[in-house]
Amino acid sequence: MDVPQTVTVALDDRPVAGRRCLEAGAGAGNATAGLLANGAARVYAVTNDRDHARTTRRRVGRDDGDGSDGDDGVDESDGDRLAVLEADLRAVPLPDDSVGVITAHGLCNVLDPASLSAVAEEFSRVASPGAQLVVDDYDPLPDGAAIGGLFAVENAASELARGRPALTFYPAAFLRRFFAGHGWEFERERTLLEPVPWTESHVSAHGDRAVSMAKEHPGEPCDALAATARRLATDIGSESVGRMYGLAFRFPE
Amino acid sequence: MQTRPLGDTGHDSTVMTFGAIALNWLEQEGANQLVEHVLDYGVNHFDVAPEYGDAELKLGPKLRQHREEIFLGCKTQERTYEGAWRKLERSLNRLGVDAIDLYQVHGLEYDEELDAITGDDGALAAFREAKEQGLIDHIGLTSHGDPGLILDALDRVDDLESLMFPLNPVVAGKDDDEYDYEAVLARADEKNVGTLGIKAFAGGSWPPTDELPESDRPFANWYRPVTAPDEVRERFDFAAAQGLTSVVSAGDPKLVTMILEAAADYDGMDEAAQRSLIERVRHDDSPVPEQLHH
Ligand SMILES: NC(=O)c1ccc[n+]([C@@H]2O[C@H](COP(=O)([O-])OP(=O)(O)OC[C@H]3O[C@@H](n4cnc5c(N)ncnc54)[C@H](OP(=O)(O)O)[C@@H]3O)[C@@H](O)[C@H]2O)c1
Ligand SMILES: C[S@@+](CC[C@H](N)C(=O)[O-])C[C@H]1O[C@@H](n2cnc3c(N)ncnc32)[C@H](O)[C@@H]1O
């Protein structure tokens, strides 16, 4: 697969080659592919979503190692370098001091503050001395961004259905201080995307998610939210707005 | 309009090159007007080929009137000595000029063609004779083929002074070697060979002809072009920001003014915005339907 430029730029000044890596929140497998392309000794790609685990194996496992298609459900079908683990990042299934690189590429925005704190504790636990931490995420959207309305509806539906927001956009400066508070030394910040292209596929996926969460909680307010989400997704189509940043930290020896 | 040195030719090309194929779709009077319009923006590099229907003939009158203002690129798809001489003479006749500034091997696609043009009886032998006789000034090559082949050509043809090849955000987002035109750009820069970008405005392929017959396509391009002014501008900025000497305008005359405007206003594109565009088009044809992140 093609490694997205965001990942390429987020990693290109980081020492990845030969290191054991934790890709926290495997998602679409983008950062996993980037770590492998940069010569990682081994990548533990962790996600709590079975479909994402499967997607990562299918998209990334195929290109790596022995050419097996990686879609046979066996975690380590991809040569020796990739292990996709289905697990909760609040309890990472790896020993203390065991990884030299941690990537959180587009992860923090799907973690509410309580989960973010728990996950950060785990990062500090599994990081070996001298480890790298790469945190790529989105600044809060500027006022007037149409897609901000859709995210608000998605969050409202999520709050009603699950008692927590679906998305939280942490400012770069916030995560910088937050991870410093967990013992990480800040090394640099980059702008990965500006503006951020929220394409039709992003917008409709967020619309669909808002609708499905609204449906988990029957009742009038949720029907209204679902209808609003549908309308907003259609009206917005696509929008390029906001900034995606890349932070890099180092764990002291 | 900004200009950039076209490799070692000594010519500074405007950051937009006029793709004169656009003239093929106009009557002579409209063609004359379009050439004047393009010159009004300060464009000083034109590109044409005998394969573009009547474009050579329709360019002729205004080219002769403004010969000193125009650096003229033309091409031949002939691979042999004889064929290239014949086509060159034909183009000179049809254009009605004494000399062509840049004569290019057109549309190189296969290894055998590279062997053919570089052989004793190959097209390049004719190019070199024509150069000695003052009929052409510089030698170039164009290809929408394999970047590896273009790199080989760059290695094997010592007197190559320009290359024309595709470059756009769709191509830039793909990692496979078969799309690695960035490597061509880098090597051409090292060797101080001029670079001309095509397909900057390609949006995708046309629907299959059973869905949309060729005669119902709204644009005369081989591919579906981007057509909104903002998109055209972004595509121009992207191509120019890659460091090409010049970006060739698209083949449909309806797009030319938008491209001229973008070229006239060009003042760089920062890297985060370039990535933003690559990401956007990557998602447009993403194999993963529900890709939530960049
Ligand atoms: N033989 C012909 O009669 C001929 C040839 C080219 C274009 N055209 C016409 O010109 C129109 C505009 O071309 P366009 O919009 O594609 O390109 P464009 O970027 O708008 O500019 C024209 C370029 O298209 C290229 N092209 C020609 N054949 C192609 C092919 N099979 N696949 C991909 N690219 C090709 C040509 O490049 P090269 O010159 O390097 O091939 C030409 O420089 C087309 O609709 C077509 O009808 C006709
Ligand atoms: C938006 S994706 C990240 C994109 C991904 N890093 C990439 O490069 O393609 C977020 C991922 O984090 C996972 N995730 C969210 N909370 C999690 C948790 N508590 N434990 C494990 N995975 C979690 C989601 O399932 C999803 O796979």
Side-chain angles (χ1 to χ4, degrees), chain B residues 19 21 24-25 47 49 51-53 75 77 106-107 142-144 164 198-201 206 214 217 219-223 248-252 255:
Chain B
I21 192 172
N24 181 47
W25 317 106
D47 182 75
E51 286 76 20
Y52 302 161
K75 332 189 182 80
Q77 289 183 354
H106 187 177
T142 81
S143 175
H144 10 81
M164 184 183 289
I198 50 173
K199 306 282 177 281
F201 308 95
W206 289 111
E214 233 176 282
R217 290 178 185 168
F219 287 88
N221 305 65
W222 280 101
Y223 46 81
V248 184
S249 58
D252 190 300
L255 299 172

Side-chain angles (χ1 to χ4, degrees), chain A residues 7 23-32 46-49 52 87-90 105-107 110-111 119, chain B residues 292-293:
Chain A
V7 172
E23 201 319 66
N30 291 328
T32 304
V46 176
T47 173
N48 59 0
D49 182 311
H52 292 180
D88 193 329
L89 288 166
R90 292 171 297 187
H105 180 78
L107 171 70
V110 300
L111 299 175
V119 169
Chain B
L292 283 169
H293 281 267

Side-chain angles (χ1 to χ4, degrees), chain A residues 3-229:
Chain A
V3 179
Q5 300 255 323
T6 47
V7 172
T8 305
V9 174
L11 294 180
D12 72 6
D13 63 344
R14 299 294 101 190
V16 170
R19 295 196 180 206
R20 289 151 67 88
C21 306
L22 165 62
E23 201 319 66
N30 291 328
T32 304
L35 290 167
L36 291 169
N38 278 282
R42 190 162 176 72
V43 178
Y44 299 97
V46 176
T47 173
N48 59 0
D49 182 311
R50 177 151 304 175
D51 287 339
H52 292 180
R54 209 173 284 142
T55 301
T56 299
R57 277 189 206 107
R58 179 171 49 76
R59 291 183 78 212
V60 186
R62 184 170 285 166
D63 288 353
D64 183 51
D66 59 10
S68 71
D69 74 359
D71 197 19
D72 54 9
V74 179
D75 285 358
E76 303 192 14
S77 59
D78 330 280
D80 300 331
R81 295 202 298 148
L82 174 62
V84 180
L85 308 175
E86 230 181 287
D88 193 329
L89 288 166
R90 292 171 297 187
V92 177
L94 293 173
D96 297 359
D97 297 353
S98 61
V99 296
V101 176
I102 300 175
T103 50
H105 180 78
L107 171 70
C108 296
N109 67 89
V110 300
L111 299 175
D112 62 75
S115 305
L116 179 67
S117 296
V119 169
E121 297 278 347
E122 283 293 86
F123 285 1
S124 302
R125 180 183 66 77
V126 299
S128 56
Q132 289 286 325
L133 170 62
V134 172
V135 177
D136 304 327
D137 231 287
Y138 307 90
D139 271 332
L141 290 163
D143 292 345
I147 193 153
L150 178 61
F151 291 150
V153 172
E154 187 177 343
N155 275 345
S158 176
E159 289 280 5
L160 286 169
R162 302 174 181 180
R164 55 186 160 78
L167 296 165
T168 311
F169 294 110
Y170 300 98
F174 173 85
L175 287 184
R176 188 172 154 170
R177 295 200 184 94
F178 175 77
F179 283 107
H182 279 87
W184 295 88
E185 283 168 9
F186 171 76
E187 292 202 322
R188 62 106 174 107
E189 174 174 343
R190 287 184 168 178
T191 294
L192 301 181
L193 293 173
E194 189 164 28
V196 177
W198 303 100
T199 63
E200 252 172 71
S201 66
H202 290 107
V203 171
S204 67
H206 282 283
D208 292 348
R209 274 217 328 158
V211 170
S212 76
M213 282 187 297
K215 285 192 173 146
E216 286 175 24
H217 188 86
E220 215 176 290
C222 280
D223 292 345
L225 284 175
T228 310

Side-chain angles (χ1 to χ4, degrees), chain A residues 1-6 9 28 30 59 105-106 109 138 191-199 201-202 205-206 240, chain B residues 172-176 182 270-273 275-280 282-284 286-294:
Chain A
M1 66 173 276
D2 301 321
V3 179
Q5 300 255 323
T6 47
V9 174
N30 291 328
R59 291 183 78 212
H105 180 78
N109 67 89
Y138 307 90
T191 294
L192 301 181
L193 293 173
E194 189 164 28
V196 177
W198 303 100
T199 63
S201 66
H202 290 107
H206 282 283
S240 286
Chain B
K174 296 193 195 282
D175 292 344
D176 320 308
E182 288 129 309
D270 67 50
E271 291 189 357
R275 289 195 287 272
S276 175
L277 189 51
I278 291 173
E279 275 304 290
R280 202 165 77 212
R282 197 173 65 83
H283 281 280
D284 284 348
S286 165
V288 182
E290 265 202 31
Q291 201 162 30
L292 283 169
H293 281 267
H294 299 100

